[in-house]
Amino acid sequence: MTAQLGVLFATVAVIVFSAVGFYLYQALALQLQDRDDVDLVERMLQIRHLLEETSTTESIRLDPHRFLDAVDLRRGLLLVIEDSSGRALVHNTAERRFAQGGFVIPADAVPSTADTRPGALADGANLRVISASGRIGAGDQLVRVSLARTADERLAVLRAYRLKVWAAAIAGAVLTAALGYLLARHGLSRVKALAGQARQVTAHNLEMRLDADAAPAELRLLADSFNAVLDRLQSSFNNLSQFADDLAHDLRTPLNNLMIQTEVAFSQPRESEEYQRLLSSNYEEFGRLARMVESMLFLARADHDQIALSTERLDAAEQLAVIAEYFEGVASEANVSFEINATGVVWADANLLRRAVNNLVANAVRYTPAGGVIGLEAVQGAEGVTISVANPGAGIGAEHLPRLFDRFYRSDASRSSESSSAGLGLAIVKSIMALHGGMASATSERHGMTRFSLFFPTVRA
Ligand SMILES: Nc1ncnc2c1ncn2[C@@H]1O[C@H](COP(=O)(O)OP(=O)(O)O)[C@@H](O)[C@H]1O
Ligand SMILES: [Mg+2]
């Protein structure tokens, strides 16, 4: 880019210098021609004056030097004076062609530069010509005076000037290209510096940021955007590595249990009931692992939009009644009961709706003290239906609420070793709500009600 800018600068410089040079050259050419014309007119006036001081054509012919002195052949001035019959009285050149034809200024008219005209010599050289009638003495006798100047001198000046213009244009272009290159390099050095900083960002130092304040205004936007990308990457990356950590940690516990139990069983011969007990215990652990892997797969598929929804109109009260019935056994075992209070129509995938609410109810049953009543509610709003599961209990600390729906997040460490708790239930609820374009939220009071709410927006055709 730097070299490209340099070349661009040079091209522009050549064009500009050439244009200016061409203009100046034309102006000079015109001015030089003007000067020659003025000179011709002045000399014509001088010769007329000399003619007035003469008495006869014969005296002119016999003494031509007075007239020839008025012109200088070496400076390219040509003179021919003819009498009325066309005989040359005075001439300093054999060339007579320029003296023939063309406009002749009358004897009583004053010559001016407007009376000059172009002419040419036999060899093609350019001339400026002026012709005028002149009165001899005070009488009526007229002669014709033709004066010309070759362009040699003028052309020599112009030739020299042209060379200078070309030299200046080339030197100017080279200089501009060099300066342009330096300027571009200086300007781009800031870009290079930013690129250098960007290059240092790796997975191990995602917390690094480009120094946007040090960047010039035009690049600050780019640096800020890049930093924003890094922010998002860092947060995703942190989530991902946290997730991997948690996953490894949560798989380790059931696997260790399986290994230890099996090793102990192997250490000596056992009765067949003992093997049976081991197998049934292992079966439980396998079940936990399988459920966890299934949940992970569900979350991954939901993340990648690989879950197809078959959304339908569902009666909220009906759905909650089915769920309450499903949990009846577990609830009576825990000595808790359900109270349904629901109206409204939910637009949802029946299986996923049940899965989401099941997760909430399973939690509620686990955290409700004996004798407690779990509320299953549905409220129809203008935009959709909110289904909520509310239970009394110790409640969830406010510091946990924002992270409750994160994968593997558990607010009470004491329960985390329980076989049924993997901390994925609410993450799945959140995924399901995202699939429906809805939202999951939670509120909790210490030693009061804990309420999880699911908002399902109404689907309009
Ligand atoms: N109704 C509730 N009352 C108190 N705490 C709850 C309730 N529901 C969920 N939690 C807290 O939220 C955490 C995450 O729940 P969840 O994702 O379902 O995981 P899990 O049930 O496997 O522990 C639970 O470990 C628990 O600490
Ligand atoms: Mg749960």
Side-chain angles (χ1 to χ4, degrees):
M1 194 165 159
T2 315
Q4 236 174 25
L5 280 175
V7 170
L8 224 68
F9 268 116
T11 313
V12 169
V14 166
I15 292 171
V16 171
F17 278 110
S18 305
V20 171
F22 181 75
Y23 170 76
L24 289 178
Y25 178 82
Q26 293 294 331
L28 182 67
L30 272 179
Q31 209 183 339
L32 287 178
Q33 183 180 313
D34 260 13
R35 204 191 59 180
D36 279 3
D37 288 355
V38 168
D39 185 51
L40 281 178
V41 169
E42 274 171 6
R43 282 173 203 275
M44 181 58 84
L45 287 171
Q46 197 184 344
I47 289 171
R48 266 191 175 176
H49 191 71
L50 289 173
L51 285 173
E52 277 169 22
E53 285 172 356
T54 335
S55 46
T56 61
T57 52
E58 205 50 27
S59 66
I60 299 173
R61 207 172 60 85
L62 292 177
D63 184 15
H65 287 287
R66 276 183 302 148
F67 296 95
L68 290 177
D69 285 349
V71 297
D72 185 351
L73 182 63
R74 272 167 312 174
R75 293 200 55 207
L77 277 163
L78 310 179
L79 172 67
V80 177
I81 303 178
E82 298 160 314
D83 64 12
S84 49
S85 61
R87 186 168 58 114
L89 301 173
V90 176
H91 60 94
N92 66 354
T93 170
E95 280 272 2
R96 300 284 293 281
R97 213 159 54 120
F98 74 90
Q100 286 140 23
F103 173 68
V104 179
I105 305 162
D108 31 301
V110 180
S112 83
T113 52
D115 303 320
T116 56
R117 57 192 154 86
L121 288 179
D123 62 5
N126 285 324
L127 297 174
R128 294 297 293 176
V129 182
I130 188 166
S131 297
S133 285
R135 209 179 291 278
I136 295 185
D140 300 333
Q141 227 181 343
L142 295 176
V143 290
R144 182 170 147 176
V145 182
S146 296
L147 254 177
R149 183 193 269 283
T150 59
D152 291 351
E153 204 184 55
R154 196 152 40 99
L155 291 180
V157 171
L158 284 176
R159 204 172 314 119
Y161 183 70
R162 204 160 50 215
L163 278 177
K164 276 182 195 149
V165 166
W166 273 118
I170 290 169
V174 170
L175 202 68
T176 314
L179 284 177
Y181 177 82
L182 288 179
L183 276 179
R185 211 176 59 170
H186 175 73
L188 291 177
S189 67
R190 313 278 202 94
V191 178
K192 252 191 205 156
L194 273 187
Q197 288 179 15
R199 236 194 328 267
Q200 284 164 20
V201 178
T202 66
H204 301 294
N205 62 352
L206 273 178
E207 69 283 348
M208 214 194 108
R209 292 292 175 269
L210 299 192
D211 190 359
D213 293 332
E218 293 82 355
L219 293 180
R220 204 162 299 151
L221 202 68
L222 184 70
D224 282 337
S225 311
F226 189 84
N227 283 343
V229 169
L230 281 182
D231 284 344
R232 291 197 294 274
L233 269 182
Q234 191 188 8
S235 124
S236 301
F237 191 82
N238 287 348
N239 282 348
L240 209 65
S241 60
Q242 181 65 45
F243 182 63
D245 280 358
D246 293 341
L247 183 64
H249 187 264
D250 276 86
L251 286 177
R252 195 177 57 184
T253 311
L255 283 174
N256 273 348
N257 289 348
L258 284 168
M259 294 260 292
I260 291 165
Q261 284 168 16
T262 311
E263 260 169 29
V264 169
F266 270 152
S267 60
Q268 61 189 78
R270 308 270 173 191
E271 297 296 314
S272 79
E273 302 99 76
E274 282 180 283
Y275 285 123
Q276 214 147 32
R277 217 176 319 117
L278 172 73
L279 281 179
S280 89
S281 157
N282 282 2
Y283 182 74
E284 250 176 55
E285 291 291 354
F286 281 132
R288 184 182 173 192
L289 281 173
R291 276 196 303 280
M292 218 160 98
V293 169
E294 197 278 331
S295 296
M296 301 281 317
L297 277 177
F298 180 88
L299 286 170
R301 288 197 349 252
D303 270 358
H304 295 104
D305 279 332
Q306 285 171 353
I307 293 179
L309 292 192
S310 52
T311 309
E312 51 186 320
R313 272 174 67 106
L314 301 168
D315 183 74
E318 220 169 83
Q319 294 298 316
L320 291 179
V322 171
I323 290 166
E325 196 182 314
Y326 174 78
F327 276 96
E328 211 172 297
V330 194
S332 68
E333 211 173 281
N335 193 18
V336 296
S337 58
F338 295 111
E339 193 178 284
I340 300 177
N341 190 354
T343 54
V345 171
V346 195
W347 286 87
D349 180 299
N351 285 328
L352 293 181
L353 171 105
R354 237 170 265 171
R355 184 164 183 173
V357 180
N358 278 354
N359 278 330
L360 298 184
V361 174
N363 287 344
V365 170
R366 193 190 311 156
Y367 291 104
T368 304
V373 178
I374 297 171
L376 305 180
E377 293 153 23
V379 180
Q380 176 79 56
E383 302 289 319
V385 168
T386 303
I387 292 180
S388 50
V389 176
N391 69 282
I396 306 168
E399 73 276 17
H400 298 300
L401 283 179
R403 298 203 51 200
L404 224 46
F405 292 92
D406 289 358
R407 290 167 195 193
F408 293 112
Y409 191 79
R410 281 164 298 213
S411 61
D412 54 346
S414 60
R415 296 246 189 184
S416 58
S417 56
E418 250 179 42
S419 63
S420 56
S421 171
L424 288 175
L426 289 179
I428 287 177
V429 170
K430 181 178 158 189
S431 277
I432 290 175
M433 293 322 291
L435 287 172
H436 283 86
M439 211 180 81
S441 59
T443 59
S444 182
E445 299 159 5
R446 272 257 169 261
H447 304 292
M449 294 300 277
T450 295
R451 175 183 294 273
F452 283 85
S453 301
L454 309 181
F455 170 71
F456 289 87
T458 302
V459 178
R460 291 192 176 86

